[in-house]
Amino acid sequence: MLIEIGKIEAVFRYPVKSMSGERLDDADLGWHGFEGDRRLAFRRMDDRSGFPWLTASKLPDLVLFTPLCRKDAAHADLPTHVRTPDGAEMPIFGDDLAREVARRYGAPVEMMQMKHGIFDDASISVIASDTVHEIGRLAGLSLDVRRFRPNILVRLLQPGAFQEDKWLGGVLSFGEGDDAPAISVTMRDVRCSMVNLDPDSATPAPEVLKAVVRAHQNCAGVYGTVTRTGRLAVGQTIFLRAV
């Protein structure tokens, strides 16, 4: 049975892992998430672990770097340049950008492109605006949803925080019809210190993560894997097929 749960309030894509994201009116949902999402990341060249990517948990300044796509770019879904926090624009695969990030981090890095993206747990993340507002209330702050770096922000039909847990094991369909794009909700989103970072200043607010820990076992939002591809747009109705 299909249950209407809300509408798409916002769509986000993050071309470079941990850098500033893009708020879009619509986006193509492929088998590996949104086209152009997290296809690039800096690799820590001195790291031999299974997760060598440089993230804002290790370099908070990364959230202040803004990927840019020049109009003559061959692939519109991928950035060609990055604007640094100081306002300089540098080619995304250029030595200047790698040196600037390495200077801030304190160790050498290298920009890498991955065909199917570089994700922590799954290719699509979803959170409801009510959940963000409740965490902000508990933390005593007005929170920008960008702290949580979702792909899809949901405006719920029935108000209430942390409803995303009820979707686990089900399928979210975006729009009506048997061919509507859809994701299978696979797991809760366990949060890290990135939610503490103000997306415009990188200033930390530890009370944000503390609020998530106290209120909901350190989880906020859910992850999903794509089961039907298609185009998502702000305003689309979201349906849940529970199992």
Side-chain angles (χ1 to χ4, degrees):
M1 180 177 67
L2 284 179
I3 303 168
E4 182 179 345
I5 61 170
K7 295 185 182 297
I8 297 179
E9 185 171 338
V11 171
F12 295 92
R13 178 174 66 183
Y14 310 88
V16 183
K17 191 171 182 65
S18 277
M19 287 190 182
S20 177
E22 303 170 323
R23 186 165 181 156
L24 307 172
D25 292 327
D26 50 42
D28 288 320
L29 182 67
W31 293 117
H32 303 284
F34 285 145
E35 297 298 328
D37 186 46
R38 297 175 172 93
R39 290 337 192 225
L40 301 166
F42 271 112
R43 179 177 71 88
R44 293 172 286 150
M45 296 175 68
D46 58 355
D47 188 279
R48 297 295 181 268
S49 72
F51 194 86
W53 313 113
L54 180 63
T55 66
S57 61
K58 297 184 180 298
L59 178 62
D61 280 0
L62 268 185
V63 301
L64 305 179
F65 286 74
T66 304
L68 306 170
C69 186
R70 295 286 171 85
K71 291 182 179 180
D72 57 350
H75 300 284
D77 288 327
L78 295 177
T80 58
H81 292 70
V82 169
R83 182 185 298 119
T84 72
D86 298 325
E89 293 188 11
M90 302 176 179
I92 196 155
F93 287 105
D95 293 338
D96 288 345
L97 179 61
R99 280 195 292 265
E100 174 63 13
V101 173
R103 179 184 68 81
R104 293 170 182 262
Y105 174 53
V109 296
E110 178 185 25
M111 181 66 79
M112 301 289 291
Q113 180 176 344
M114 303 294 284
K115 182 179 180 181
H116 298 318
I118 303 158
F119 305 102
D120 292 347
D121 291 291
S123 58
I124 291 290
S125 60
V126 185
I127 197 169
S129 51
D130 282 14
T131 297
V132 175
H133 295 155
E134 176 63 6
I135 294 169
R137 185 188 70 81
L138 294 171
L141 297 169
S142 177
L143 298 183
D144 190 316
V145 67
R146 292 178 296 160
R147 286 177 181 264
F148 297 85
R149 300 181 71 83
N151 292 117
I152 301 165
L153 178 66
V154 179
R155 184 171 70 252
L156 295 168
L157 188 64
Q158 299 295 330
F162 303 112
Q163 291 185 42
E164 301 94 328
D165 285 8
K166 300 177 182 178
W167 309 339
L168 286 169
V171 174
L172 297 181
S173 297
F174 303 94
E176 299 187 59
D178 294 337
D179 60 347
I183 65 169
S184 176
V185 182
T186 56
M187 62 188 300
R188 301 164 84 193
D189 192 337
V190 180
R191 293 297 173 170
C192 69
S193 61
M194 280 197 68
V195 300
N196 290 335
L197 300 178
D198 184 300
D200 292 321
S201 67
T203 302
E207 54 267 38
V208 179
L209 185 58
K210 290 178 181 178
V212 180
V213 172
R214 291 196 309 270
H216 209 60
Q217 302 85 48
N218 202 28
C219 294
V222 289
Y223 282 118
T225 57
V226 180
T227 57
R228 280 196 305 271
T229 62
R231 194 157 187 85
L232 270 63
V234 172
Q236 275 180 328
T237 302
I238 306 172
F239 298 91
L240 170 67
R241 186 185 297 276
V243 294

